[in-house]
Amino acid sequence: MNALATPRRRVEPMIEGEYLFTARNFEQIATFLRAQTGIALTEAKAQLVYSRLAKRLRKLGIPDFDSYCEFIETSEGAGERNEMMAALTTNVTRFYREPHHFEHLKRNILPALIEKARSGGRVRLWSAACSSGEEPYSMALTLLEAFPDAGRYDVRLLATDIDPNVVAKARSGLYSEDAVSPIASSLRDRFLTREADRDRRMWRVKDEVRALIAFKELNLIGEWPMRGRFDVIFCRNVVIYFEEETQVFLWNRFKSSLTPEGRLYIGHSERIDVPGYVSDGLTVYKLAQRGGR
Ligand SMILES: C[S@@+](CC[C@H](N)C(=O)[O-])C[C@H]1O[C@@H](n2cnc3c(N)ncnc32)[C@H](O)[C@@H]1O
């Protein structure tokens, strides 16, 4: 080799694997995801990003991550940008996850809300980041257990998520035998029906429950079209993936979506330390100024 020639820079793979994946690719994907969803990826997540997106490259027949990153910047890549977001978000959820929240709702909050509805008031609950629906259906079952004729009053749930795939699954209300196991059998038999899906025994949430819930795509850091306030907001196990600045932005934003007596339920590893909230139990908050119920 000519000693005077400029040495060619070797592109170091960040992760060893079938497709070349560099630190620059990681940075580009992480920057895109943060801007679109608020989710902050640290380098510790590089392996996870690689393995989830390698499946996309394989499916699309794209040879490496440089080409993939170029593709998602183009207008033809719009659909793939959504697929990428869906692949990189964590959708883990289950019925009655963090059961103490449903107990709190049932004992401390629902009695007054039922009273409000019966006297002609408007009652709204929101599962913000509902994933595949287990959370809003658990809220609806808790409500219906205490207030079986809720559907005859002005009582509605909103269930939203950024990922269109999980919103579609939530809307369909179809779950495996295993998934519905946390639901008490009396409630399950009353509000779900058995259904066979390609030889698998499944359970479908009945229409009377689904009719209470509007499922919508919504980005928590994007525009919120809702105008009315909510008596109950569950925003659990999503803000944990955001950087602190985005968390603070959201906690402040929820203040103007809560009724003065409203409650905000958050995930077990999340905390609110912005002014204007006071604790009302383990990872349950209310607005400070009116003192709550
Ligand atoms: C781990 S799941 C939590 C589901 C449920 N809240 C629970 O606690 O079981 C997180 C959900 O947040 C959604 N998500 C992530 N970023 C979001 C954003 N910016 N706006 C709305 N939803 C988002 C994901 O698609 C995913 O379904």
Side-chain angles (χ1 to χ4, degrees):
M1 196 170 93
N2 176 350
L4 296 175
T6 319
R8 258 185 63 209
R9 270 185 56 209
R10 227 171 76 78
V11 183
E12 291 291 338
M14 191 178 193
I15 299 290
E16 295 291 344
E18 183 183 352
Y19 299 104
L20 179 62
F21 181 72
T22 63
R24 195 163 156 269
N25 299 144
F26 175 79
E27 192 49 45
Q28 194 175 341
I29 290 165
T31 303
F32 172 82
L33 195 72
R34 192 181 308 112
Q36 296 297 310
T37 68
I39 296 173
L41 292 173
T42 61
E43 287 193 4
K45 293 278 167 68
Q47 180 66 58
L48 180 131
V49 170
Y50 176 86
S51 52
R52 290 195 180 173
L53 294 184
K55 292 189 190 127
R56 298 298 313 155
L57 270 70
R58 209 165 294 132
K59 183 149 193 209
L60 297 166
I62 291 182
D64 52 39
F65 274 91
D66 272 353
S67 314
Y68 184 74
C69 289
E70 266 167 36
F71 178 55
I72 58 164
E73 295 286 344
T74 63
S75 51
E76 302 84 74
E80 184 53 30
R81 290 199 282 277
N82 289 335
E83 292 295 338
M84 186 176 99
M85 275 194 277
L88 295 178
T89 48
T90 301
N91 302 123
V92 174
T93 186
R94 58 188 173 276
F95 281 99
Y96 296 99
R97 181 181 198 180
E98 299 172 40
H100 63 97
H101 281 161
F102 298 93
E103 273 301 306
H104 184 281
L105 180 65
K106 178 165 139 186
R107 296 199 186 290
N108 305 355
I109 307 301
L110 285 183
L113 292 184
I114 294 170
E115 201 47 51
K116 182 178 168 189
R118 287 206 171 112
S119 52
R122 173 184 182 278
V123 172
R124 293 291 181 271
L125 296 87
W126 178 17
S127 164
C130 67
S131 188
S132 40
E134 288 84 338
E135 180 178 278
Y137 287 126
S138 303
M139 294 164 76
L141 293 179
T142 307
L143 172 72
L144 285 166
E145 198 181 2
F147 190 23
D149 52 351
R152 292 177 39 218
Y153 295 88
D154 189 6
V155 178
R156 297 287 176 273
L157 275 101
L158 173 67
T160 61
D161 200 282
I162 196 173
D163 179 348
N165 301 331
V166 290
V167 174
K169 177 164 174 13
R171 195 176 282 124
S172 77
L174 187 64
Y175 297 99
S176 68
E177 185 90 41
D178 218 31
V180 301
S181 62
I183 308 177
S185 51
S186 56
L187 271 183
R188 184 199 60 197
D189 294 345
R190 199 159 133 212
F191 293 113
L192 286 83
T193 47
R194 273 191 189 283
E195 209 171 282
D197 181 49
R198 281 170 274 140
D199 295 341
R200 286 195 310 150
R201 278 153 58 104
M202 305 289 282
W203 289 86
R204 169 102 55 192
V205 180
K206 286 186 181 169
D207 288 349
E208 66 174 290
V209 185
R210 291 197 286 154
L212 284 177
I213 312 176
F215 292 98
K216 306 264 185 224
E217 280 170 44
L218 182 106
N219 184 349
L220 286 171
I221 63 159
E223 276 291 302
W224 291 3
M226 309 84 81
R227 294 289 158 252
R229 291 176 182 252
F230 293 87
D231 301 281
V232 170
I233 300 176
F234 275 49
C235 182
R236 308 186 309 162
N237 307 304
V238 56
V239 165
I240 187 79
Y241 298 108
F242 298 162
E243 43 196 10
E244 204 185 321
E245 198 185 325
T246 315
Q247 299 192 4
V248 168
F249 164 76
L250 261 184
W251 299 142
N252 281 322
R253 199 174 193 192
F254 279 125
K255 283 190 218 161
S256 46
S257 288
L258 277 170
T259 60
E261 305 274 291
R263 295 295 189 278
L264 174 61
Y265 294 78
I266 68 171
H268 62 98
S269 51
E270 298 159 346
R271 293 291 172 273
I272 297 185
D273 40 26
V274 302
Y277 286 105
V278 289
S279 166
D280 183 42
L282 186 61
T283 53
V284 184
Y285 291 83
K286 61 184 179 182
L287 296 175
Q289 59 270 33
R290 303 253 180 131
R293 245 174 287 272

